[in-house]
Amino acid sequence: MDWRIKVELFEQIRREYEFGVGTIKGVARKFGVHRRIVRQAVANALPPRRKSPARKRPKLEAAVEFVDAILEKDRETHRKQRHTAHRIHERIVEELPGCQVSESTVRRYVQHKKEELGLLARETFVPQSYALGIEAQVDWYEAQADLGGERQTLQVFCMRSMASAGSLHRAFFRATQQAFLEGHEVGFRYF
């Protein structure tokens, strides 16, 4: 069963268990699944991932240390200068003549090893630009203040302009809808 379909099934099972039948046996009978699956769904919203068994790689074992050394060296080189799986396979054929391993096996191992070493992750930067007066961020935070000689907790409305980075802070006793709308009004006048 596809993992996404199983997530949806888990959601239906959880909803039925909480708001419908209410018993593990009843939910299992209604959806035609094992009671173990119902217990898993009730315990966690996400189904457990399938475990793939660790398999032996008799043909690749002779080249694992060689490939690991190449990839370890690649950590210190520029990204464009790193070895590809194809080039690593070519080097295995040239430098380890007794090792008969297919390119697809090397490719899978190199992909897995590069993920493990963090060689595939790229840092992404998306520049953000905002037109003046178009976008703002709004949030609440809690602050302590001395009012009339007594320490009180206040809810502070914060509106920040995205283009100018200017901000407005307005304190209220409670974070209500009316305070939220009033904070917007004051913020629009301010900006």
Side-chain angles (χ1 to χ4, degrees):
M1 179 183 293
D2 183 30
W3 195 74
R4 284 185 231 135
I5 294 172
K6 201 167 186 179
V7 169
E8 292 173 10
L9 175 65
F10 266 44
E11 184 179 339
Q12 291 172 351
I13 289 171
R14 289 169 65 90
R15 191 176 300 121
E16 184 63 33
Y17 182 78
E18 191 173 339
F19 301 112
V21 176
T23 64
I24 291 174
K25 187 176 181 180
V27 174
R29 187 176 295 133
K30 180 171 182 176
F31 287 100
V33 295
H34 197 276
R35 291 188 304 270
R36 177 184 59 249
I37 292 178
V38 176
R39 286 189 196 94
Q40 287 174 347
V42 170
N44 193 351
L46 295 176
R49 295 273 187 182
R50 288 192 65 124
K51 295 177 188 173
S52 55
R55 298 173 60 181
K56 291 186 179 183
R57 308 174 294 236
K59 291 193 175 190
L60 184 65
E61 287 303 319
V64 166
E65 287 182 27
F66 180 74
V67 173
D68 288 349
I70 291 173
L71 293 176
E72 199 60 47
K73 235 183 206 179
D74 279 353
R75 292 179 95 174
E76 299 160 9
T77 61
H78 188 269
R79 186 174 59 86
K80 292 285 191 175
Q81 301 299 320
R82 294 181 183 155
H83 286 80
T84 62
H86 177 73
R87 178 64 186 129
I88 291 173
H89 180 260
E90 286 178 347
R91 283 190 59 186
I92 290 172
V93 171
E94 291 169 9
E95 298 174 32
L96 302 174
C99 183
Q100 298 293 321
V101 63
S102 69
E103 186 174 342
S104 62
T105 303
V106 172
R107 193 179 313 116
R108 276 194 303 273
Y109 180 73
V110 168
Q111 173 78 18
H112 172 73
K113 196 67 179 177
K114 280 186 174 183
E115 285 175 359
E116 200 175 275
L117 293 173
L119 294 174
L120 297 179
R122 290 188 185 171
E123 196 171 307
T124 305
F125 174 74
V126 179
Q128 296 182 357
S129 61
Y130 303 98
L132 291 172
I134 299 298
E135 291 192 42
Q137 287 182 343
V138 176
D139 204 357
W140 290 94
Y141 65 90
E142 204 170 84
Q144 301 284 325
D146 291 327
L147 299 175
E150 188 178 323
R151 178 143 302 212
Q152 293 188 1
T153 302
L154 300 175
Q155 304 300 318
V156 182
F157 174 85
C158 173
M159 179 182 275
R160 186 170 88 76
S161 170
M162 298 306 291
S164 68
S167 62
L168 166 97
H169 302 269
R170 178 84 182 235
F172 295 94
F173 286 108
R174 285 179 240 31
T176 61
Q177 185 175 5
Q178 184 174 349
F180 184 72
L181 296 174
E182 188 179 321
H184 274 80
E185 249 181 61
V186 172
F188 293 147
R189 269 184 272 155
Y190 175 77
F191 288 111

